[in-house]
Amino acid sequence: MTTEQTPPKQEPEREPEQEGPDKATVRKAVAASAIGNCIEWFDFGVFSAGVMTAIVGTVFFPPDDGGGAALRSFAMIAAAFIARPFGGMFFGPLGDRIGRKGVLAITIILMSGSTFVIGVLPGYDSIGMAAPLLLLVVRLVQGFSCGGEYGGAATVIAEYAPTKRRGFFGSFLELGTLSGYVLGAGLVLGVDLMLSDEALHSWGWRIPFLIALPLGLVGLYIRSRLEDTPEFQKLEQAGEVARSPLKETLLHNWRMILNLIGIVILLNVANYMLLTFMPSYLSQNLDIGDTEASLITIGVELAMIAVIVPLGALSDRVGRKPLLMTSAIGFIVVSWPAIALMQTKQPLAVAGGFALMGGLLVLMLAVIGSTFPAMFPTRVRYGAFAIGYNISTSLFGGTAALVIEKLIKTTGSNYIPAYYVIIAALIALVPILVLPETARVPIGKCGRSSKPVPATA
């Protein structure tokens, strides 16, 4: 007697998982995004280098014996930030409606072209008060374009990167920031060392600004060879692209925008204080030579470049919030001792104090490219990010150097930078605590707590 053998139970066929972009495409998207940030911060690196701050303040303005050249340069840096929220409100929702690629092509040309124009503008000696007015107009155009650049670049990386490596790839955005700053400051240092004071003040100062245009053309070429992000293409194919992204952003995402603003207060106060104000602070407030101050800042920034990508990869394993919390608490505890070290005016102590604050800043920089885009749904990601980020940047980042310099002159205290960043860190702690952890959440599922307006609305 034979027993009939029961055939093995067939497992239902699994639907193959949808594959993401190949590695080469992801790398191209990361490069295309990071180069825009590099160009933006190349401008800051040039504009805020110690020797350049003084030159710009004298070339474009009437003579002033009161030592106000640095303040006038910082005012021009701050002026660009007036236009950033408007750029964010224009380019961000536009990127949610027509796609990320086209908008980012516009912003990179506007940014690099504006920096180039500064290099060819005539000075006060040639055209009088028209010189500072023209400089102001160019800075406003720069600010308007920057308002659409950063949010779009971060969105592109986040929407291309694999979920498990979003922190790793997102860190390259701020690698572009640091690289652009080092490139700009290093170029100014090189020109300063090679030229005589007369040549530098006459025409040599223009060279770093002129370099921005070819950098922008390289960035435009890379971006033109990239398709729009997979997440945006999914929205288009499903017919779910937001018809009124600005309305949807403000109506249903305002709470998360406020959270973003709170975190960005610390990010930008620390960022702009260290990268745009500190070179001038070292040379003018602590009487450290321009060359020595530049070498200290560039050296610390090179160290930050070395660790930012490993820190981004670490956030893929431990999450973004632990790094953000460490940074905020660290700034509260360490800022005063770090500035106190700088007061000794000893090169090693100054470098050590700068390095302490740079180490805390790089903890934030490593994760914001993967954290901020994940706070919002795909339909309004570009616009919500750009609006919140640029409002906070305009109010607290762009004004940081100007306000700190003014407070130092008013109070006579060189510890103002420490007090300023401690207050910013205390504010940022609250939104960081309530921030949802998105390290292992696919970008398409991030920010879904918002209530989208129907596509037909």
Side-chain angles (χ1 to χ4, degrees):
M1 179 175 162
T2 60
T3 58
E4 191 175 330
Q5 190 171 2
T6 305
K9 189 176 180 180
Q10 295 288 328
E11 292 284 339
E13 289 188 13
R14 294 185 179 179
E15 196 174 316
E17 293 184 10
Q18 187 175 359
E19 294 183 359
D22 59 78
K23 292 181 180 178
T25 302
V26 173
R27 286 195 293 267
K28 190 190 302 181
V30 170
S33 300
I35 194 168
N37 226 30
C38 178
I39 292 169
E40 177 184 348
W41 279 89
F42 173 83
D43 169 71
F44 280 109
V46 171
F47 216 93
S48 61
V51 63
M52 192 65 73
T53 301
I55 291 174
V56 170
T58 55
V59 167
F60 290 99
F61 292 88
D64 175 26
D65 297 328
L71 273 175
R72 292 183 296 197
S73 291
F74 288 144
M76 280 295 147
I77 291 175
F81 289 84
I82 296 172
R84 284 191 71 143
F86 299 101
M89 293 185 74
F90 175 78
F91 287 117
L94 184 64
D96 285 324
R97 193 166 69 248
I98 69 170
R100 292 50 164 130
K101 177 182 175 180
V103 173
L104 288 176
I106 298 170
T107 58
I108 197 168
I109 285 300
L110 285 175
M111 284 194 312
S112 59
S114 299
T115 304
F116 173 84
V117 167
I118 292 176
V120 298
L121 282 178
Y124 181 84
D125 289 343
S126 300
I127 58 174
M129 285 305 297
L133 291 176
L134 285 174
L135 179 61
L136 176 62
V137 170
V138 174
R139 294 295 295 170
L140 290 174
V141 173
Q142 281 181 318
F144 188 76
S145 58
C146 287
E149 168 64 30
Y150 186 77
T155 295
V156 166
I157 291 181
E159 292 183 351
Y160 262 106
T163 300
K164 294 181 179 179
R165 304 194 73 196
R166 199 162 63 235
F168 169 78
F169 285 113
S171 65
F172 281 89
L173 186 67
E174 291 300 327
L175 179 68
T177 291
L178 295 169
S179 300
Y181 190 91
V182 168
L183 179 61
L187 189 56
V188 171
L189 176 62
V191 171
D192 183 26
L193 292 174
M194 288 188 293
L195 299 178
S196 65
D197 283 347
E198 183 181 354
L200 181 65
H201 284 75
S202 175
W203 55 269
W205 68 269
R206 298 180 182 274
I207 295 173
F209 290 103
L210 300 178
I211 299 296
L213 187 59
L215 285 177
L217 292 176
V218 171
L220 179 64
Y221 173 76
I222 296 174
R223 288 183 175 182
S224 68
R225 295 170 61 84
L226 192 68
E227 293 185 358
D228 226 317
T229 70
E231 292 300 318
F232 186 79
Q233 290 186 48
K234 288 177 188 176
L235 284 184
E236 279 190 314
Q237 292 165 5
E240 294 178 356
V241 173
R243 301 286 180 86
S244 302
L246 180 59
K247 175 183 176 183
E248 184 173 331
T249 296
L250 298 178
L251 280 178
H252 302 297
N253 294 272
W254 61 269
R255 289 184 181 86
M256 194 59 77
I257 289 175
L258 289 178
N259 277 2
L260 176 62
I261 289 172
I263 300 171
V264 173
I265 288 174
L266 172 58
L267 169 68
N268 277 309
V269 166
N271 209 12
Y272 289 97
M273 185 188 76
L274 284 175
L275 302 187
T276 65
F277 171 74
M278 200 54 70
S280 175
Y281 174 79
L282 295 180
S283 59
Q284 297 191 25
N285 296 91
L286 302 184
D287 299 320
I288 293 172
D290 285 332
T291 300
E292 209 170 32
S294 295
L295 289 173
I296 289 171
T297 54
I298 290 172
V300 171
E301 286 150 13
L302 286 172
M304 293 167 70
I305 286 173
V307 301
I308 190 169
V309 174
L311 287 172
L314 176 65
S315 77
D316 286 325
R317 297 194 296 273
V318 304
R320 325 296 186 210
K321 289 183 67 172
L323 274 68
L324 291 171
M325 287 296 299
T326 302
S327 177
I329 295 171
F331 273 119
I332 294 169
V333 175
V334 170
S335 293
W336 196 93
I339 295 297
L341 274 175
M342 296 183 191
Q343 304 306 309
T344 65
K345 301 183 182 181
Q346 299 299 316
L348 286 178
V350 172
F354 196 98
L356 280 173
M357 300 193 78
L360 294 171
L361 175 59
V362 78
L363 288 175
M364 292 196 80
L365 294 179
V367 299
I368 59 174
S370 52
T371 301
F372 292 165
M375 295 170 70
F376 304 101
T378 304
R379 287 167 57 89
V380 296
R381 178 170 293 126
Y382 192 161
F385 184 167
I387 291 169
Y389 183 87
N390 286 293
I391 288 174
S392 190
T393 300
S394 177
L395 293 175
F396 306 103
T399 59
L402 181 64
V403 172
I404 293 171
E405 177 73 8
K406 188 67 176 176
L407 287 173
I408 289 174
K409 288 187 177 298
T410 302
T411 64
S413 172
N414 281 334
Y415 286 91
I416 292 296
Y419 303 142
Y420 206 72
V421 77
I422 287 171
I423 293 171
L426 288 169
I427 293 171
L429 268 179
V430 176
I432 291 174
L433 283 170
V434 302
L435 185 71
E437 180 60 74
T438 57
R440 297 167 187 84
V441 181
I443 194 67
K445 295 181 179 180
C446 290
R448 286 191 174 180
S449 58
S450 65
K451 301 175 181 178
V453 174
T456 57

